[in-house]
Amino acid sequence: MIVAEKKPVEEIIEYVQDCRKILILGCNECVTVCEAGGKKEVGVLASTLRMYFLNQGKEVKIDEITLERQCDHEYLEEIRDVADQYDAIISLACGVGVQFMAEKYHSVPIYPGVNTCFLGATEERGLWTERCQACGNCMLGITGGICPVSRCAKRLLNGPCGGSSNGKCEISKDLDCAWQLIIDRLKALDRLDDYEKICPIKDWSTDRAGGPRKVVREDVQI
Amino acid sequence: MSVKTPSKLEKILSEGHLAVTSECGPPRGSDPDAVKKKAELIKDYVDAVNITDNQTSVTRMSSLSACIHLKLMGVEPVLQMVTRDRNRIAIQSDILGAASFDIFNMLCLSGDHQSFGDCPQGQNVHDLDSMQLLQTVHLMRDEGKFLGGADINRPPKMFVGAAANPFADPFEIRTPRLAKKIAAGAEFIQTQCIYNLDKFEEWMKQICDRGLHEKVYILAGVTPLKSAGMAKFMKNRVPGMDVPDDVVKRMADTPKEKQPEEGINICVETIERLKSVEGVKGFHIMAIEWEEKVPGIVERAGLYPRPKIEAEN
């Protein structure tokens, strides 16, 4: 899923301090799971802003809506009739949702309420970690199912750097060395000999480097 | 191993001499004398001088330009290149630039993570990794081709090396990793600083058991300790460094004013012991901001005078 975290409320206030009518728009997908932009967080942000404006002696109407998804035209249409009433919409969706909103509703400013962080998973309640950088050319098949692109700080494709120590990365003792994990996994799979196969220079044109990407599937297009 | 380049370092190694290399860090400024003075101190005591490439991710004068300063004063440089700061276009371009000044040695590295340096908020590139950089230099040299497939007019003639850390984890791949670097094209290896001699000798034995010592020249890396504090810092704070307790204790038990001398004693003793280890073909003396001590170390370790071999141009 896409993992996000809440923006500091001060930054959000900067965006909307002169508004009189604000919609806070949550999303029921990834940002709900990572507890950054679901219905609960919409409520918390709305209360915080109401408190702030009250203390400022300002009368500001703040509404709360949480959509099933913000990365889908169909669900965004649900606010078609009300969107124009607001001076600003704070979207708590990921960067995809914020942009899709902005593309659909031209006349209302849309502000992000979260920072979109990475593609990751919930390791435990309150701990999300990165697993994928969407390089567009998955190599998990040769690395024992552990991704060096997203999990090695130098995205090294042919083994650990000299900074791997006791299973940890040189940049932080809290971070596993991806190559230690890969080696452990190859060993468990009885494939340690595969380590010596040189991974050729990667084609990064399917990554961010190749420019904004699209997937076109003519077979499923209507 | 047949000689493939005009490198003086390669020639010395191929003739069976124990090679001696050292390194100079370029300055945090544009004064060429800073690097020239360091080179002047050591040039008669070493066969080639590595120029570090923004080591520890701290911005400095570029390795290539410092190498050119050395080349112009008749010192044989080893161009260190990290994959952290350049994509494949810049890498090939800098290799050609170095070749245009007849720089004949190169050390391929991934580089420290930028979070250690003065630009922790910067991007890292790592378009290639160090293995792929080795392959790239070989493609350019041996096949005269760019990565894009076009021919190179006057291909570079680089003697290509890589680093190895005998003490890094994971343990299982310490030797396979070297084998992989050799397969990718490493012709010489400069190791991480060695303080744990037993562990290094164990690593060398594994290498010899696989016959890898006949495929690559291994230069054992040594760094003289200046103080007990430095020993502790390297032990505890430098990733991938193995400084045994008895080395730290020996430094700490020495009166402060005598510690620099003791650090040099340890360094000389290390070289003496490792000279007889099978597969060790030379030494890489990294006297960090202490270049003036290199001549004394080389002399005391019985590695002076250096073989007289003229560099080709």
Side-chain angles (χ1 to χ4, degrees), chain A residues 118-120 129-135 147 150-151:
Chain A
F118 50 78
L119 302 182
T129 53
E130 184 164 17
R131 288 293 183 279
C132 179
Q133 285 192 356
C135 72
C147 174
S150 58
R151 301 186 67 185

Side-chain angles (χ1 to χ4, degrees), chain B residues 43-207:
Chain B
K43 71 180 174 61
D44 295 331
Y45 294 83
V46 300
D47 306 318
V49 177
N50 286 41
I51 299 288
T52 49
D53 182 5
N54 295 302
Q55 73 271 26
T56 63
S57 303
V58 173
T59 315
R60 293 167 183 278
M61 180 193 288
S62 72
S63 174
L64 175 53
S65 54
C67 281
I68 294 167
H69 288 301
L70 260 60
K71 182 78 189 180
L72 295 177
M73 60 191 281
V75 178
E76 170 129 328
V78 178
L79 173 71
Q80 292 197 184
M81 189 181 285
V82 301
T83 61
R84 179 192 60 225
D85 307 325
R86 308 167 173 77
N87 71 0
R88 62 191 78 180
I89 301 170
I91 283 172
Q92 294 176 94
S93 171
D94 280 353
I95 291 170
L96 291 183
S100 76
F101 283 93
D102 288 332
I103 289 167
F104 297 131
N105 309 288
M106 203 176 140
L107 190 75
C108 303
L109 306 162
S110 55
D112 296 311
H113 193 267
Q114 72 278 7
S115 58
F116 294 102
D118 63 347
C119 294
Q121 296 179 331
Q123 292 265 12
N124 56 17
V125 182
H126 298 298
D127 184 14
L128 311 181
D129 64 21
S130 59
M131 304 261 185
Q132 296 162 346
L133 176 55
L134 287 163
Q135 290 181 313
T136 300
V137 185
H138 271 277
L139 176 79
M140 295 174 75
R141 183 188 83 186
D142 300 340
E143 295 178 41
K145 299 273 190 200
F146 287 106
L147 287 171
D151 291 332
I152 297 172
N153 178 21
R154 194 177 183 268
K157 296 178 198 163
M158 302 283 186
F159 182 44
V160 198
N165 184 354
F167 313 106
D169 294 324
F171 175 79
E172 298 87 335
I173 57 144
R174 272 188 292 160
T175 304
R177 181 146 176 79
L178 184 77
K180 200 169 176 179
K181 286 198 171 178
I182 295 168
E187 293 162 329
F188 72 94
I189 294 289
Q190 290 170 321
T191 76
Q192 174 68 285
C193 322
I194 300 159
Y195 298 104
N196 188 338
L197 278 68
D198 294 339
K199 205 164 169 186
F200 175 75
E201 286 172 355
E202 190 189 318
W203 181 70
M204 282 305 302
K205 188 175 177 310
Q206 289 172 16
I207 285 162

Side-chain angles (χ1 to χ4, degrees), chain A residues 6-67:
Chain A
K6 293 187 228 178
K7 270 192 182 290
V9 73
E10 295 78 13
E11 184 182 338
I12 296 173
I13 288 170
E14 281 278 313
Y15 290 132
V16 298
Q17 57 187 338
D18 297 326
C19 299
R20 290 288 162 268
K21 231 181 146 192
I22 300 166
L23 172 63
I24 302 176
L25 193 65
C27 177
N28 237 340
E29 294 283 349
C30 313
V31 288
T32 296
V33 181
C34 66
E35 303 188 40
K39 192 173 180 186
K40 186 181 76 186
E41 291 75 30
V42 168
V44 171
L45 179 61
S47 303
T48 310
L49 290 182
R50 282 185 197 112
M51 195 92 78
Y52 168 79
F53 286 119
L54 197 66
N55 284 339
Q56 297 288 308
K58 289 181 183 170
E59 202 174 307
V60 178
K61 181 172 161 42
I62 297 173
D63 289 336
E64 307 171 29
I65 298 177
T66 297
L67 299 178

Side-chain angles (χ1 to χ4, degrees), chain A:
Chain A
M1 67 172 169
I2 295 173
V3 177
E5 63 182 352
K6 293 187 228 178
K7 270 192 182 290
V9 73
E10 295 78 13
E11 184 182 338
I12 296 173
I13 288 170
E14 281 278 313
Y15 290 132
V16 298
Q17 57 187 338
D18 297 326
C19 299
R20 290 288 162 268
K21 231 181 146 192
I22 300 166
L23 172 63
I24 302 176
L25 193 65
C27 177
N28 237 340
E29 294 283 349
C30 313
V31 288
T32 296
V33 181
C34 66
E35 303 188 40
K39 192 173 180 186
K40 186 181 76 186
E41 291 75 30
V42 168
V44 171
L45 179 61
S47 303
T48 310
L49 290 182
R50 282 185 197 112
M51 195 92 78
Y52 168 79
F53 286 119
L54 197 66
N55 284 339
Q56 297 288 308
K58 289 181 183 170
E59 202 174 307
V60 178
K61 181 172 161 42
I62 297 173
D63 289 336
E64 307 171 29
I65 298 177
T66 297
L67 299 178
E68 196 55 36
R69 275 203 284 285
Q70 289 189 37
C71 55
D72 213 321
H73 284 297
E74 186 186 339
Y75 295 105
L76 289 187
E77 281 302 322
E78 289 176 15
I79 58 163
R80 172 64 63 197
D81 296 338
V82 296
D84 289 346
Q85 301 169 12
Y86 296 98
D87 299 328
I89 298 176
I90 301 166
S91 166
L92 298 195
C94 69
V96 179
V98 176
Q99 291 185 65
F100 229 43
M101 276 290 297
E103 286 167 29
K104 213 164 182 62
Y105 297 105
H106 294 245
S107 57
V108 192
I110 315 287
Y111 297 111
V114 302
N115 289 319
T116 306
C117 301
F118 50 78
L119 302 182
T122 311
E123 283 206 26
E124 58 189 67
R125 180 91 194 266
L127 175 64
W128 295 273
T129 53
E130 184 164 17
R131 288 293 183 279
C132 179
Q133 285 192 356
C135 72
N137 190 0
C138 189
M139 55 187 293
L140 286 169
I142 58 169
T143 56
I146 289 149
C147 174
V149 176
S150 58
R151 301 186 67 185
C152 168
K154 302 176 189 170
R155 65 178 193 190
L156 302 179
L157 303 184
N158 278 293
C161 70
S164 177
S165 189
N166 297 317
K168 299 298 175 186
C169 174
E170 68 175 21
I171 69 166
S172 166
K173 286 190 164 52
D174 297 329
L175 195 63
D176 289 330
C177 166
W179 274 98
Q180 175 77 59
L181 299 176
I182 293 169
I183 298 302
D184 291 346
R185 181 95 173 112
L186 290 177
K187 209 161 61 172
L189 296 170
D190 201 21
R191 277 176 44 199
L192 197 53
D193 288 349
D194 283 0
Y195 168 70
E196 287 193 39
K197 292 179 187 161
I198 297 174
C199 173
I201 292 175
K202 190 170 167 72
D203 175 358
W204 291 110
S205 67
T206 55
D207 183 65
R208 177 210 61 80
R213 295 165 279 180
K214 58 169 80 167
V215 173
V216 182
R217 280 276 307 276
E218 287 178 4
D219 59 323
V220 295
Q221 285 177 338
I222 301 164

Side-chain angles (χ1 to χ4, degrees), chain B residues 1 12 92 155 158 201 221 265 294-295 303:
Chain B
M1 285 176 264
I12 284 171
Q92 294 176 94
M158 302 283 186
E201 286 172 355
N265 289 339
V294 171
L303 296 166

